[in-house]
Amino acid sequence: MSDYGLDSWTVNAPLTGVCVERGGQFAAFAGGDGCVRTVSLVEPESSLSVWPLTEGAVLALTPDCQEGGFLCGADDSTLYQVHPNDGPRELALLTRSWPDQLVSHPCGLRAVSDGPEVRLLDAEGRLVTVLAEHPSTVAGLAFDDGGRRLAVSHYNGVSLWTLDRRSREPQRLCHRGSHLDLTWSRNGRFLVTATQEKTLHVWDLAAGQDATLGPCINKVKALSWSADGSWLLASGADTVSGWSFSNGRLPAAAPHMLGRYSEHLIGNVSANPSLALAAAGYNDGGLELVSLAVQPQRRRLVSAPGSPIAGLAWSPNGDHLLGGDKDGRLFAYRFDTDSLARLACTD
Amino acid sequence: MTQRVPVTVLTGFLGSGKTTLLNRILTENHGQRIAVIENEFGEIGVDQELVINADEEIFEMNNGCICCTVRGDLIRILGNLIKRRDKFDRILVETTGLADPGPVAQTFFVDDETRESFDLDGVVTLVDAKHAELHLDTSEEAASQIAFADVIIINKIDLVDTDALDALKRRLRSMNLMARIEQVEMADAPMEQVLNVGGFDLDRALELKPSFLEPEYAFEWGGVLRLDGKAKFRLQNGPDPVMSAVLEPIRAATTEALMETAERVYTRFSAPGEVLQPGATMSPGETLWTLTLTDADQYEYTLEADQPGLYALFTEHTPEEFDAGFYGDSGADIDVATEHFFNPEHTHDDTVGSIALELEGDIDGTALNAWMGQLLQTRGPDIFRMKGILAIAGEERRFVFQGVHMLFDGQPGNAWGDQPRASRLVFIGRNLDEAELAQGLRNCRAR
């Protein structure tokens, strides 16, 4: 597959986050030098715009609730909004901890962690409410698809807040251990956390059941749902680990190993949002595309070895793949949709 | 691999001067970029580049071991610090006075990413000379802070006399054979005593100090007396209604001669003693004497030697504990020419202690694995720390390992070469049974 375009940049800072805003026009890279760098995905040969936020590091980056913007949390305890044309604006200064967990929903909500609390902000940046007090520092945040429920992970489980009810008490989903990153299934039925103990934990909210998945070789740092919602993909092993949710029940604990085994572990995985394939980033800097739909699964090496891939993100329509590594090599692939589709569906 | 950032854990009882020490370290002109992770009650008032407040959030791992507790907040904070382009030269983690250092230490064994980027350099425990004994008597956390230490700094030594300081040092030493003990006045410990400890460095795991293999004596005190005929040994009531003692000729009134003689007589303390009533006579020789010290206010025993000369008396407790003294026939005091305090095993009934084992020759790797596995499963919560150098049969290099509770880590070290092959282990923990551990190690001897 040679029919793709590649832009790449080298910056003197490890990548700490990457994403594409909801409109699909701009991508942003967060850096360990306290800067956010934005680039247009639609204008040809566009260059990086550099937006310095802090002296330390940008810890978290996510698309903002409205098209065209990004949310960033930095280790100066400040939550920023960054617009590719206008630059950064301070949204909130936290008092208890670093804003290292951020999430937004297109209905106009933003959630940011502040130690054991979660602050909810509206689209104008006004504080809607503070969700307190979780059993430990918040380690993961996720809105369900409708934006009605916010799941918050922490020690010994997840707190599930139903936002429109203005309920003061969340539903508690309990399981011992430290729960970190978390994600909802597309239909809002399953909630999955990555744990400190190299496993995943899944709750079936409709059936009132839960189960532990894994273990993986490494702690899972990236969770991603396939385009049709039938696979949950995870990093942490020497192939892409996948659990099938296609029959609507809790999956078996042992993952399917998708793609070929490698000498190196996968640190990042991101499913394409429209096709049955995923991008996998290895700890040796290798990058490949893995088909999820055909047997045997295909893979293509897209990148030569270097330092560990630190982040991967697809544009909403699935034709751009953005990422970077711990040495500050940033890349933006622009794929031809037809050849991507051929990789996903044919031998 | 890139250079790992060293992490020093600073722990200490309330009021031991931790904050003063921390401030001294930070204000000293050392040219290092230091980030401080401080507990929520900390009161650092210095202009420090980065002071991070941590809530000491501990969680239990789901692996079924109750001792497997980890500081998740530390994983998160360190994970965020390593994202910076401009790295720190060192991280200092301060714990609250009541904290058990176990979870902090275990964090570095449990989380792969943390240990990839950070190197737990050592645990430094600060104690206050005046109140340490009280803290140790009343607090389990205080005992575990001593047990986990690589360096113990006794602060405020100007507030106690020499005897009290010696007693404290002996007690600390008996609890933790591995730690280096330093004494300071106003928390003025030089930076090099606190940083670059290398306590968790496998290469430096067993740079054994001389005290390391000093046997645990069953007597606390030995003194040299010049005897010419009879002498009186007069005692008051003390902490024990009986006390064992041995009298033995000695070649000179020196510490060196006293240590030699101690080596010769210490096995006698494990045999049954001959019980003496007050007024009876102890003579030099093979006998272990058991002095009765009950039902009166004062007791007097006679020391009698056929030949005039120097004699060493070894006693289970120190004479000070019984307000004891030595007198000649005329009633005049007899001076103790030289004395030595031996590591007391039982003065304070500390349940925390350390045990050093040595086994000459080779051990069988498979047997060792089985023993360690079983030991850590059953005694993991009681074993705070362990370190060892092992001579494994068929392996040319030393095997070096160390652990915290159930977690451990090991790797091959230097080759034995011409050095005699022997395995050495140290355990620090609670209610450790030396006989059981020694037997367990002997069972691993290669055939």
Side-chain angles (χ1 to χ4, degrees):
Chain A
M1 195 170 70
S2 58
D3 41 358
Y4 61 80
L6 170 62
D7 288 322
S8 69
W9 306 268
T10 301
V11 299
N12 181 23
L15 181 77
T16 61
V18 58
C19 70
V20 179
E21 50 82 24
R22 294 184 187 279
Q25 310 282 300
F26 291 94
F29 303 92
D33 58 350
C35 295
V36 167
R37 294 169 172 85
T38 54
V39 65
S40 165
L41 299 179
V42 289
E43 286 170 28
E45 296 182 16
S46 82
S47 57
L48 283 181
S49 305
V50 184
W51 309 104
L53 302 183
T54 168
E55 305 260 297
V58 181
L59 302 177
L61 171 72
T62 193
D64 201 359
C65 50
Q66 288 159 339
E67 291 187 0
F70 300 94
L71 276 185
C72 313
D75 65 5
D76 59 356
S77 293
T78 309
L79 176 68
Y80 295 92
Q81 181 190 40
V82 174
H83 267 287
N85 299 321
D86 311 333
R89 173 168 91 92
E90 287 184 23
L91 277 186
L93 180 65
L94 304 189
T95 52
R96 301 186 61 160
S97 191
W98 287 327
D100 53 5
Q101 300 303 319
L102 311 173
V103 69
S104 77
H105 192 273
C107 70
L109 275 180
R110 299 143 163 167
V112 54
S113 67
D114 187 10
E117 297 178 350
V118 176
R119 294 189 183 201
L120 272 185
L121 307 179
D122 67 13
E124 278 71 49
R126 288 181 302 238
L127 184 67
V128 177
T129 186
V130 175
L131 304 176
E133 169 94 35
H134 298 94
S136 70
T137 295
V138 169
L141 293 171
F143 283 111
D144 69 1
D145 263 9
R148 287 176 35 252
R149 289 177 296 179
L150 178 67
V152 181
S153 61
H154 40 69
Y155 286 177
N156 301 326
V158 173
S159 295
L160 199 52
W161 297 87
T162 303
L163 301 173
D164 47 7
R165 280 199 213 131
R166 304 259 165 216
S167 135
R168 301 315 303 162
E169 277 302 312
Q171 182 186 351
R172 305 276 186 192
L173 305 174
C174 299
H175 179 255
R176 203 165 82 166
S178 174
H179 294 259
L180 307 169
D181 200 10
L182 81 171
T183 182
W184 289 92
S185 67
R186 201 66 46 83
N187 55 14
R189 173 170 174 181
F190 297 101
L191 190 58
V192 185
T193 61
T195 77
Q196 175 63 37
E197 290 167 74
K198 304 177 183 176
T199 63
L200 302 183
H201 201 79
V202 54
W203 280 271
D204 179 343
L205 299 173
Q209 295 173 322
D210 65 305
T212 295
L213 308 180
C216 299
I217 299 171
N218 247 359
K219 195 158 78 174
V220 172
K221 308 266 313 263
L223 289 171
S224 185
W225 292 91
S226 64
D228 64 358
S230 64
W231 289 100
L232 175 65
L233 308 180
S235 66
D238 46 7
T239 68
V240 174
S241 308
W243 286 267
S244 169
F245 283 74
S246 54
N247 65 5
R249 291 200 301 271
L250 287 175
H256 292 262
M257 293 305 188
L258 306 172
R260 240 178 17 216
Y261 289 97
S262 155
E263 283 174 49
H264 298 278
L265 293 177
I266 291 179
N268 253 282
V269 63
S270 180
N272 186 286
S274 52
L275 295 167
L277 61 85
Y282 286 85
N283 287 343
D284 69 337
L287 181 66
E288 63 184 35
L289 298 181
V290 178
S291 154
L292 307 175
V294 291
Q295 295 288 340
Q297 288 89 12
R298 290 263 307 269
R299 63 172 229 166
R300 287 289 170 96
L301 188 67
V302 185
S303 158
S307 78
I309 299 292
L312 288 173
W314 291 93
S315 57
N317 64 4
D319 59 1
H320 283 82
L321 175 65
L322 293 302
D325 67 18
K326 289 194 174 165
D327 283 347
R329 185 180 53 126
L330 310 179
F331 52 79
Y333 287 94
R334 189 177 56 259
F335 294 106
D336 174 81
T337 322
D338 290 342
S339 48
L340 267 191
R342 276 198 300 280
L343 175 65
C345 300
T346 64
D347 255 347
Chain B
M1 195 165 72
T2 49
Q3 191 80 33
R4 297 192 298 167
V5 180
V7 178
T8 305
V9 178
L10 184 59
T11 169
F13 313 164
L14 296 168
S16 59
K18 244 182 329 175
T19 306
T20 315
L21 176 63
L22 205 45
N23 271 313
R24 290 189 74 105
I25 295 170
L26 296 178
T27 49
E28 237 174 83
N29 186 16
H30 43 63
Q32 288 198 13
R33 303 181 68 232
I34 300 180
V36 179
I37 301 175
E38 187 192 44
N39 70 69
E40 58 188 316
F41 303 110
E43 290 168 4
I44 299 283
V46 296
D47 179 21
Q48 179 60 15
E49 178 161 13
L50 191 57
V51 177
I52 306 137
N53 219 274
D55 288 333
E56 301 202 348
E57 295 177 338
I58 293 164
F59 71 91
E60 266 178 44
M61 297 283 284
N62 233 329
N63 60 6
C65 172
I66 55 156
C67 58
C68 218
T69 49
V70 176
R71 284 274 303 271
D73 61 316
L74 216 48
I75 295 176
R76 182 180 54 85
I77 291 168
L78 292 173
N80 278 332
L81 283 181
I82 206 67
K83 288 178 179 171
R84 289 185 160 218
R85 180 184 60 187
D86 303 320
K87 308 280 187 252
F88 290 91
D89 298 314
R90 175 173 297 275
I91 313 283
L92 277 173
V93 180
E94 185 204 9
T95 69
T96 58
L98 292 172
D100 169 6
V104 181
Q106 295 193 112
T107 302
F108 291 84
F109 281 77
V110 159
D111 191 69
D112 297 339
E113 281 160 14
T114 302
R115 70 185 306 167
E116 219 167 78
S117 307
F118 297 92
D119 174 30
L120 178 56
D121 181 46
V123 177
V124 177
T125 297
L126 205 63
V127 303
D128 159 4
K130 199 164 174 61
H131 299 107
E133 299 264 9
L134 178 68
H135 283 130
L136 286 171
D137 289 339
T138 54
S139 154
E140 286 204 10
E141 289 83 3
S144 100
Q145 289 177 2
I146 295 299
F148 268 99
D150 295 291
V151 178
I152 300 169
I153 298 177
I154 307 177
N155 190 19
K156 308 183 189 176
I157 52 168
D158 48 322
L159 301 183
V160 293
D161 59 27
T162 322
D163 289 348
L165 186 60
D166 284 347
L168 176 61
K169 272 157 60 183
R170 285 196 304 277
R171 184 173 185 184
L172 297 174
R173 174 59 65 213
S174 81
M175 293 172 74
N176 184 336
L177 282 172
M178 290 191 293
R180 196 174 77 223
I181 297 179
E182 306 281 355
Q183 356 184 106
V184 300
E185 282 186 15
M186 303 274 290
D188 51 355
M191 179 117 152
E192 58 270 22
Q193 284 181 13
V194 183
L195 309 179
N196 293 324
V197 173
F200 283 83
D201 183 346
L202 281 178
D203 296 334
R204 283 163 66 182
L206 283 195
E207 285 177 355
L208 300 183
K209 299 153 206 81
S211 63
F212 174 75
L213 287 173
E214 189 174 298
E216 293 249 331
Y217 295 104
F219 40 88
E220 286 178 14
W221 183 83
V224 180
L225 304 163
R226 181 172 294 280
L227 293 182
D228 186 4
K230 292 180 180 177
K232 299 290 181 201
F233 182 25
R234 200 175 292 151
L235 306 96
Q236 320 292 323
N237 275 311
D240 205 343
V242 290
M243 177 162 76
S244 302
V246 160
L247 191 62
E248 175 75 9
I250 187 169
R251 64 174 172 86
T254 62
T255 305
E256 198 187 356
L258 200 53
M259 298 304 284
E260 272 172 32
T261 315
E263 289 296 324
R264 207 161 63 234
V265 304
Y266 87 97
T267 51
R268 289 183 209 164
F269 275 81
S270 52
E274 183 175 332
V275 178
L276 295 183
Q277 297 300 325
T281 298
M282 301 163 60
S283 53
E286 295 292 306
T287 316
L288 173 71
W289 307 106
T290 302
L291 312 184
T292 306
L293 302 167
T294 182
D295 298 330
D297 295 332
Q298 183 171 303
Y299 313 90
E300 199 171 88
Y301 289 88
T302 302
L303 306 175
E304 185 171 10
D306 294 341
Q307 304 287 324
L310 293 174
Y311 291 86
L313 178 71
F314 294 94
T315 54
E316 189 184 349
H317 301 289
T318 63
E320 283 85 353
E321 291 178 81
F322 291 84
D323 205 7
F326 301 94
Y327 306 92
D329 268 348
S330 61
D333 286 8
I334 298 180
D335 287 336
V336 176
T338 298
E339 65 178 352
H340 183 79
F341 294 91
F342 295 86
N343 46 355
E345 299 181 62
H346 48 248
T347 3
H348 298 282
D349 292 322
D350 282 321
T351 57
V352 172
S354 40
I355 287 171
L357 302 175
E358 183 162 19
L359 185 72
E360 287 176 10
D362 281 358
I363 55 177
D364 179 298
T366 313
L368 181 85
N369 261 335
W371 175 53
M372 274 287 157
Q374 192 260 345
L375 184 68
L376 296 180
Q377 280 295 326
T378 54
R379 303 297 309 276
D382 284 339
I383 296 173
F384 294 172
R385 281 185 74 175
M386 58 178 176
K387 289 189 183 187
I389 287 186
L390 304 172
I392 310 253
E395 173 59 63
E396 281 178 17
R397 290 175 295 176
R398 292 169 172 84
F399 187 80
V400 191
F401 81 98
Q402 64 165 304
V404 174
H405 289 309
M406 276 186 71
L407 308 167
F408 71 99
D409 183 21
Q411 69 188 35
N414 296 334
W416 287 99
D418 298 335
Q419 304 269 321
R421 294 170 67 99
S423 298
R424 292 189 304 247
L425 284 89
V426 191
F427 294 91
I428 301 180
R430 181 176 286 131
N431 302 318
L432 297 181
D433 182 340
E434 181 167 9
E436 181 194 326
L437 291 170
Q439 185 60 50
L441 180 62
R442 276 197 300 274
N443 289 346
C444 299
R445 195 195 294 272
R447 297 181 199 287

